[in-house]
Structures are given as structure tokens and as C-alpha cells.
Amino acid sequence: MSSLMKGTAILTVGLFLSKLLGLVYIFPFYAIVGEENIGLYQYAYIPYNIMLSIAISGLPIAVSKFVSKYNALGDFDAGRRLVKTGAALMVITGIVSFLLLNVLANPIANIVIADDEQMFSVEQVAKVIRWVSFALLVVPFMSLVRGFLQGYGQFMPTSVSQLIEQIVRIIFLLGGSFIVVSVLDGEPETAIYFSVFAAFIGALGGLLTLYYYWKKLKPDIQAVQVKNKPEHKLPYKDMYKEIFKYSIPFVFVGLANSLFQLVDMLTFNRAMISIGLSQVTDTYFTMLNFLTHKIVIIPVMLATGFSMAIIPTITQYFTQGKMDAVRLAMDKTYQVLLFITIPAAVGISILAEDLYHILYSQSEMGTHVLSHYAPVAILFALFSVTAALMQGIDYQKWIVFSLLTGLLVKLVLNIPFIKLWAVDGAIFATTLGYIVSIGINIGVINRVTNYETKVVSRRIILICMLTAIMAVSVWLVHTGLTAIAPADSKLLALIYSLVCAGVGATIYGFLSLKLGLAQMLLGDKITKITKKLGFK
């Protein structure tokens, strides 16, 4: 395995495990603080994620590209100078971001809380935003160190530090919340403040991990550095211009989901209040942008792994002018992505009632939101991959344009749609916004690469047909099971979900193997296995 592919694999595994932990912890946390309080938690994280993305998104990749480029040219001094000045810049960036989020806490809270009948007060929302802002003091500097080490081909520190950061955060979050609520018999609101502050504690854990690796790897890094000073020092202006050129597209890709959620955060409550739903708006918003989103995003994690893995391959082929290879790689990427994501999203939608019950509680509205929101996962995944493809063919600027255009669609449609269809209106507006962004991305990609979608279109139709057969089968089995005995307990809901998921996976898998689709998309290893099982 090449060092590039090995590095990509390490980063992908680390990111996947970190994201998986970021999904799993919410279920016990929900049980500790309850549905009515968890909404306060998510009000803090949307502005925090946006501020964090602006402060650091793309920085590790940008720094690693810069360092590896100039190391290859023999200019090790450029990387050293970047780290020395960048460290001070990132500390300042962290402090400024921390202060800015503190200053904006009250204005944001005043926009979000628009009626006295809502569950939370302006003071509560502002306070929870301030508590989460402490993490911004540490994370930007940490990202710079990750990028520098990656530039020397050291990918393990990034992967391990991300994992440690998440583990420490979750232990502090769950442990602190449990002690406050169950041991000290304190207010759930206090537990929420502890839980958002856990982001800062987790960041310290990640930073200490990086310090360990820094001390360990420092002799190796110094050993490969050229001691002679370069004849011409790269000016700081050119240095940071190059860094920003690399990082800005990644900022927008990282911001995509958070920006769409921000539109909901700033408009959802007021629109719901205007149609007389002030008493439930906080609960419904939490269901949409936090509780169901955590489930919907599971299939999208697959897309994140793909998007990280394909950038180097597509870039290599595109740079070498191998356009046929570029188009074949795109074919494979689209098909494998949709082969997995479409049935997964549809399956979540059909089993929404049981899944919401298992992970949270029985809720008619929760079921409704999850079943309608789950198919949007396909669009989240497609945006992630098309954005990665555009980075691969060096058309990053168009990502900014496509995202802002989709966001404008969401912003224009959100309030009128919510007034017409309540929570579904916000989902429809997000759907249309992402469709516009993806449409622009695909249009640019097709134009640049002369890509024809005939093969992919036929395969998508086939995947949709197989998914439809699977969906009908799962629905019939689930309807039969609930007719015999309604899933009133979490255990029964879990059993029904496992049975139905097993039926769906078996039917979809059998049909795709029988038609040769799985072998075609998943490669030689699956073909060897299927031949032993009697499939061609």
C-alpha cells in the first residue's frame, strides 16, 4: 500500500470512529437529561460549529499540503516558519473566536427565543453558547499542529488525537451529566452547561496527545530537515496566501450542513410561532436539527470516507491528463455511494417509528420527522462527494458558489414553507437547497470532464428498483409484526428493527448479487466470495 493510501486509510478510520462516537453518545445523554432539556444543548452547537469551521476547517489539509510541497522542494525552512508564525496566529484566532462567540451569544439567543411560551429563555440560550465557546481557545492551535505533522507523512497523530479528543469529551459529558442529575439531584440545565463545556476538556485531551507525538517524532522530523537555509525565503504574504487558497474551499464544505442548520435556527421558531405553535417549536426544532439528524447522518459517514479517499486519486488522474480514468473513477464513486446510501436512507425512513423509540422514546412526531428527513441523507452524501470531486479537478471556487446558491434557496423558501407545512416545510427547503447545490456541482464536473451519465443513470434506476422491492418487503414484514403485537417496549422495537433490517438486507443483497451489481461495484474480493456461494 502506498504511503498516500495508507495515510488516507488512517485518517478515514480515525474520522469514522470519531464520528461514530459522536453519534452514539447522544443516546445515553438523552436518557440522562430528557428530551425537553436536550434542545438547550443543540442551541449551543450550531453557532459553535460554524465559528469552529471558520477558524480551522481545512487548516490541517492546507498546512499539510503546504509543508509537504515545500519539503519536496527542499525548502524545510518554509514549513518551520509557517509553524512558528502560525502558532501565534492560531492562538490569536482562538481568542478572537472565543470573544466573538461570547459577544454574539445574546444577539443569537434573542433571535432564537422569540416568544415567552418557548421552553427556554434568552439567558439560558446565551449562557450555554458562552460555555461551549471555551473550546475555541484550544482547537485552532491543535489543527495547525495536526497539519504540520501530516505534511511530514505522519497521519497517526491526527487520527489518534481526534479519537482521544472525542473519548475524553464524551466521558466528561456523560459522567458530569450523570453526577449532576442522578447523584447530586441537580437541575438538568446545569448538566447541559457541563456537557457543552466538555468540548474544551476534550480539546485539551487531543492537545496532550499531539504533544506526546510531537516529542516522539521531533528527532525524526529534524533528521530529515535540510540544515542549509534556502537562497530565497518565501515571503509571509505569499505563504499565507497559499494557505488560504488551499483552505477556503474546505471551510465551505465543512460549513455546508451547519449553515443550513443555522438558517433553521434563525428562522424556524419565529415561523412556527407565527402559525400558533410556540409551545412545541423548541421540541420540534430539536427533533429536526439534532435528534433525527444524528440518525440521518449515519449513511452520510460513508460518503465522508469516500470523499476523503477519492481526492488524491482523481487529482492524480486529472493532473496526468488521464480523462478516461477520471470518468471511470467518477462512475465507480457515484454508483458505490448510491448503492449503499439509497437503501440505507429508505430503510431508516420505513423503520423510523422503531428506531426513534429504541434510541430516544416513543413519539409520533419524532417518527414523522425522521421518516420524512431520512431520504435527505442521499443529498447530504451526494453534496459531500461532488464537492470532493470538484476539489480533485481543481475547481474549488465553484464549491463556494454552489453552496451559497443552495443556501440562498433555503433562506428564501424556509419561512414560507414552514408556515405552510410546519417541520416538513424546513425539510423541503433543505431538500431544494441541496438539489440546487448538487446540480451546480454536477454541471461543472460534467462540463470540465466531458462526463456522460448514461451508465450511472441506468445503474441508479436499477438501484432504485431493487430498493423499492426491498422497501415493500420490509414494510410488509413490519406491518405484520406490529399487527401481531405493537412494539410498546424498547426491546420489542429493537427485535422488530433487527428482523426487518435483516429481511431488507437479505433481499437487497440477494437481488444485487443475482444481477451481478454487487460484484461489479464492490470488486474482486466480493466476486471471489459470491462464486463460492453459487453466484456468477
Side-chain angles (χ1 to χ4, degrees):
M1 186 185 286
S2 71
S3 59
L4 177 63
M5 291 306 294
K6 185 178 178 181
T8 301
I10 290 169
L11 287 176
T12 303
V13 169
L15 181 66
F16 180 82
L17 290 174
S18 180
K19 283 184 174 289
L20 185 64
L21 287 172
L23 293 172
V24 171
Y25 86 89
I26 202 63
F27 309 130
F29 182 54
Y30 175 94
I32 294 169
V33 299
E35 185 178 75
E36 64 278 6
N37 296 297
I38 209 163
L40 187 61
Y41 175 85
Q42 58 97 31
Y43 276 132
Y45 266 90
I46 294 173
Y48 166 74
N49 283 336
I50 290 170
M51 194 66 71
L52 191 63
S53 293
I54 293 170
I56 68 153
S57 208
L59 187 66
I61 294 173
V63 172
S64 75
K65 284 179 74 172
F66 179 91
V67 171
S68 60
K69 172 185 172 181
Y70 284 95
N71 282 358
L73 295 172
D75 187 0
F76 291 90
D77 187 59
R80 285 198 298 263
R81 289 167 62 225
L82 174 66
V83 168
K84 285 181 180 178
T85 57
L89 182 63
M90 286 300 99
V91 170
I92 294 168
T93 301
I95 293 169
V96 170
S97 301
F98 166 75
L99 293 173
L100 188 58
L101 193 54
N102 271 269
V103 170
L104 292 174
N106 257 87
I108 292 170
N110 274 296
I111 294 171
V112 170
I113 306 301
D115 193 285
D116 291 337
E117 292 187 359
Q118 286 184 247
M119 292 175 65
F120 309 111
S121 66
V122 170
E123 291 75 18
Q124 286 175 311
V125 173
K127 190 175 180 180
V128 80
I129 291 172
R130 291 193 181 100
W131 272 88
V132 79
S133 66
F134 284 95
L136 291 168
L137 294 169
V138 180
V139 177
F141 175 74
M142 189 163 55
S143 297
L144 178 77
V145 178
R146 283 171 175 163
F148 179 74
L149 292 174
Q150 283 175 220
Y152 278 87
Q154 300 292 343
F155 297 94
M156 192 63 76
T158 294
S159 189
V160 174
S161 66
Q162 283 177 334
L163 203 55
I164 295 296
E165 179 184 357
Q166 191 72 285
I167 290 169
V168 171
R169 183 177 80 91
I170 291 169
I171 290 171
F172 185 85
L173 183 152
L174 293 177
S177 300
F178 179 79
I179 290 169
V180 169
V181 175
S182 301
V183 178
L184 302 178
D185 200 24
E187 293 294 324
E189 183 185 331
T190 307
I192 297 296
Y193 298 143
F194 267 98
S195 65
V196 294
F197 185 70
F200 174 69
I201 304 299
L204 290 179
L207 192 61
L208 286 172
T209 306
L210 286 173
Y211 178 73
Y212 163 78
Y213 275 105
W214 178 269
K215 295 289 285 184
K216 182 182 176 182
L217 297 170
K218 191 176 179 181
D220 295 335
I221 291 171
Q222 288 177 334
V224 299
Q225 288 178 341
V226 177
K227 302 300 180 184
N228 297 330
K229 292 184 178 179
E231 294 179 7
H232 173 69
K233 276 193 172 184
L234 184 70
Y236 284 113
K237 181 183 176 183
D238 294 344
M239 186 184 291
Y240 281 101
K241 184 179 178 182
E242 194 167 339
I243 288 293
F244 286 125
K245 180 187 174 185
Y246 288 150
S247 63
I248 286 174
F250 286 95
V251 170
F252 277 87
V253 173
L255 273 174
N257 213 259
S258 294
L259 285 174
F260 274 83
Q261 288 187 318
L262 181 66
V263 172
D264 281 329
M265 183 175 174
L266 299 178
T267 59
F268 186 87
N269 287 342
R270 290 179 181 273
M272 291 285 281
I273 288 165
S274 71
I275 55 174
L277 296 174
S278 59
Q279 292 185 335
V280 294
T281 182
D282 291 303
T283 302
Y284 287 5
F285 178 71
T286 303
M287 287 177 175
L288 172 64
N289 262 11
F290 191 67
L291 298 177
T292 60
H293 188 78
K294 287 289 184 181
I295 303 170
V296 168
I297 213 74
I298 292 171
V300 183
M301 287 199 302
L302 298 168
T304 306
F306 279 120
S307 63
M308 286 185 68
I310 62 174
I311 293 176
T313 307
I314 298 291
T315 302
Q316 183 182 357
Y317 289 149
F318 188 76
T319 304
Q320 294 170 349
K322 298 179 179 178
M323 298 310 295
D324 287 339
V326 170
R327 288 187 281 270
L328 282 172
M330 287 167 57
D331 264 344
K332 190 74 173 282
T333 301
Y334 283 138
Q335 290 175 59
V336 173
L337 175 74
L338 295 172
F339 178 74
I340 296 168
T341 311
I342 290 176
V346 172
I348 290 171
S349 184
I350 294 169
L351 299 176
E353 183 179 3
D354 288 340
L355 290 174
Y356 199 91
H357 184 189
I358 295 162
L359 300 173
Y360 303 119
S361 60
Q362 270 190 311
S363 170
E364 187 178 337
M365 191 63 197
T367 300
H368 174 91
V369 175
L370 179 57
S371 63
H372 289 199
Y373 193 31
V376 186
I378 299 164
L379 299 179
F380 293 157
L382 275 172
F383 178 81
S384 175
V385 168
T386 54
L389 287 170
M390 289 176 76
Q391 289 164 353
I393 62 174
D394 203 23
Y395 268 69
Q396 293 97 324
K397 291 179 183 178
W398 279 92
I399 299 172
V400 178
F401 173 75
S402 70
L403 176 59
L404 291 178
T405 305
L407 201 62
L408 180 62
V409 171
K410 166 74 173 173
L411 189 61
V412 170
L413 297 178
N414 213 45
I415 292 175
F417 276 21
I418 291 170
K419 287 181 177 180
L420 285 172
W421 300 298
V423 182
D424 283 343
I427 296 172
F428 296 155
T430 297
T431 302
L432 291 175
Y434 266 96
I435 286 172
V436 168
S437 293
I438 293 164
I440 293 170
N441 288 355
I442 290 175
V444 172
I445 292 165
N446 291 359
R447 185 180 179 87
V448 172
T449 62
N450 292 318
Y451 179 71
E452 293 184 1
T453 59
K454 290 179 182 177
V455 175
V456 170
S457 297
R458 288 199 298 268
R459 295 274 163 75
I460 291 172
I461 292 169
L462 179 58
I463 289 167
C464 289
M465 289 170 65
L466 298 183
T467 302
I469 295 168
M470 177 207 78
V472 170
S473 304
V474 171
W475 181 82
L476 288 171
V477 171
H478 188 263
T479 302
L481 289 172
T482 51
I484 296 167
D488 294 327
S489 67
K490 284 182 182 289
L491 179 60
L492 206 53
L494 176 61
I495 293 169
Y496 287 2
S497 294
L498 291 173
V499 169
C500 291
V503 169
T506 301
I507 290 172
Y508 186 78
F510 176 81
L511 292 174
S512 59
L513 288 169
K514 194 71 176 173
L515 295 171
L517 181 62
Q519 297 92 314
M520 204 179 303
L521 298 181
L522 302 179
D524 296 334
K525 288 185 178 180
I526 195 74
T527 303
K528 290 177 183 176
I529 295 169
T530 54
K531 281 182 178 178
K532 292 178 181 178
L533 295 174
F535 294 98
K536 293 182 179 180

